Amino acid sequence: MRTNSHFITVVVGTILSLSSLTATASIRASGSFTANGDCDAYQSFRKQTNPDNTQLVNDKQYAIKAINKKEFDWVQILIPNASPAMRWVNKSCGSSKFNDDVTFKPSSSSNATSKRCNTRNDFDSYVLALTWQPGFCEHFKYKGNKPECTAINDGKLNITHLTLHGLWPNKTSCGTKYGYCDRYARLDLSAATIKDIAPWMPNFYYQTKFGEYEWKKHGACQNLDDNAYFLTATQLVKKVDASAIGQFIKANIGKNVSTASFKKNLISHFGADAVDRISLACSQGRYLNEVRLNIGKSFNVNNSVQQLLESGPKGRPFYGNCHKKIYIEAAGK
């Protein structure tokens, strides 16, 4: 009997230990989460994966399913139209109301980390992200919520130049997590600014939703006002589009090219050191959809592309997530 009793004790203890281990992964919770912006909704908040680019809808309410820990900083919610539907969002992206009326507070260490990665003008460089719109719209699952893509694919809008995805203040110590420095930031662009931006950020032809997202997540982390920020970013995309980067892409529309030949071409214009600050992004690894440039925090918009690049830090490899051979898509289906 003593042996059996000891066996039962060990088994129960083991089960309790396993339960504790499971609980550390996440804690079940119920209630409602009301979004205060259009933040990313991640399948894994640790890996920052968002396979279908799902974002919260401002002021929309979602069901809470779990939190990452008692002193939480991530909330798991149900987004019925997402795949998978269970997604993690940062607690700063909205307000949480729990059914059991328990108030969870982030730990002091979480606050410190959040402050370091969400403090305005506390960045060390920029990432200038430029989209090859035909490749993005043809192959990215935008689910009909990007009217510029619908127009491009229907042949009603012809985009044959690089466009602005965003000008992102970047902080090395934060990885991809630097942003949302003012969660109440509001975009208030003049009609003249919108007119100037639209050809280079074509969502502005139809709405300001994408611009509002970029301003809240990235723009509010630097010191320029919204008009100056987007006009500066527009100057940069024009400059890059007119450079060897844009020229190579436009010369190869509708063709397969090797990433090695693309890199070699750019090195011949800018030098190897500058090209170490450029990386590509592709849909399915095959279709070019983006070019990213790392530039310095105190850049001069009148400088050459080579000078802009040399002012920034080295980034990921030139080929990014692209295969050795990539296709440069033409506009339209």
Side-chain angles (χ1 to χ4, degrees):
M1 289 297 292
R2 183 175 299 173
T3 301
N4 289 341
S5 176
H6 176 72
F7 175 76
I8 292 169
T9 301
V10 170
V11 171
V12 171
T14 302
I15 291 171
L16 289 173
S17 297
L18 288 172
S19 298
S20 298
L21 286 171
T22 303
T24 61
S26 63
I27 301 172
R28 287 185 182 180
S30 63
S32 61
F33 183 88
T34 304
N36 62 14
D38 48 1
C39 293
D40 284 314
Y42 297 113
Q43 181 180 359
S44 167
F45 63 83
R46 291 185 179 87
K47 297 180 180 179
Q48 302 277 290
T49 51
N50 186 357
D52 54 0
N53 199 35
T54 295
Q55 295 173 353
L56 299 183
V57 177
N58 191 33
D59 293 328
K60 187 170 182 177
Q61 197 172 85
Y62 302 89
I64 292 175
K65 295 299 181 181
I67 54 176
N68 66 317
K69 55 187 176 181
K70 186 172 181 180
E71 296 179 336
F72 75 104
D73 45 12
W74 291 91
V75 186
Q76 189 181 50
I77 60 174
L78 177 67
I79 305 180
N81 293 329
S83 179
M86 301 291 277
R87 295 300 180 99
W88 289 95
V89 295
N90 194 285
K91 73 180 296 290
S92 67
C93 293
S95 57
S96 304
K97 185 176 181 181
F98 297 94
N99 289 338
D100 55 7
D101 295 325
V102 175
T103 301
F104 297 95
K105 297 180 179 179
S107 64
S108 57
S109 61
S110 295
N111 273 334
T113 302
S114 176
K115 186 176 181 181
R116 287 196 300 270
C117 294
N118 295 275
T119 302
R120 187 178 182 183
N121 209 36
D122 189 32
F123 60 99
D124 48 44
S125 64
Y126 281 98
V127 174
L128 176 64
L130 305 178
T131 301
W132 179 245
Q133 205 83 47
F136 173 82
C137 291
E138 178 75 17
H139 301 285
F140 193 82
K141 295 180 180 179
Y142 62 92
K143 296 185 175 180
N145 60 3
K146 291 188 178 294
E148 69 277 18
C149 282
T150 300
I152 289 170
N153 288 336
D154 288 347
K156 296 177 181 177
L157 180 64
N158 188 30
I159 301 294
T160 57
H161 55 263
L162 288 166
T163 61
L164 177 66
H165 180 173
L167 178 61
W168 306 334
N170 182 60
K171 187 174 180 181
T172 303
S173 61
C174 296
T176 60
K177 297 180 182 178
Y178 184 76
Y180 294 109
C181 299
D182 177 5
R183 62 170 162 171
Y184 300 108
R186 292 291 180 265
L187 184 67
D188 186 21
L189 298 177
S190 70
T193 297
I194 291 174
K195 184 178 179 181
D196 285 345
I197 296 171
W200 301 96
M201 198 173 191
N203 184 257
F204 275 106
Y205 279 131
Y206 307 96
Q207 57 186 212
T208 59
K209 183 178 179 181
F210 185 51
E212 288 166 357
Y213 169 76
E214 287 295 310
W215 174 246
K216 183 169 185 176
K217 184 173 182 180
H218 301 289
C221 286
Q222 49 79 63
N223 280 339
L224 295 174
D225 67 31
D226 48 2
N227 284 277
Y229 169 76
F230 277 102
L231 290 173
T232 298
T234 299
Q235 284 182 269
L236 290 173
V237 67
K238 288 180 182 179
K239 186 183 292 284
V240 176
D241 183 68
S243 77
I245 298 171
Q247 290 171 11
F248 182 90
I249 292 170
K250 287 178 276 190
N252 289 284
I253 292 174
K255 298 177 183 178
N256 288 299
V257 298
S258 71
T259 54
S261 67
F262 195 174
K263 183 176 182 179
K264 184 178 180 181
N265 178 277
L266 297 186
I267 289 174
S268 71
H269 287 85
F270 304 132
D273 188 57
V275 175
D276 281 342
R277 277 79 177 163
I278 302 173
S279 64
L280 307 180
C282 294
S283 297
Q284 304 165 37
R286 170 163 164 71
Y287 304 100
L288 180 69
N289 66 32
E290 193 157 284
V291 182
R292 296 181 182 180
L293 291 74
N294 292 352
I295 61 179
K297 178 178 180 178
S298 302
F299 68 85
N300 184 336
V301 72
N302 294 315
N303 281 349
S304 68
V305 171
Q306 181 175 337
Q307 290 171 321
L308 290 169
L309 289 166
E310 289 175 346
S311 71
K314 289 185 178 182
R316 64 180 187 170
F318 177 82
Y319 53 81
N321 69 339
C322 300
H323 297 164
K324 290 182 179 180
K325 286 278 188 179
I326 59 175
Y327 185 72
I328 299 177
E329 194 72 63
K333 286 285 189 182

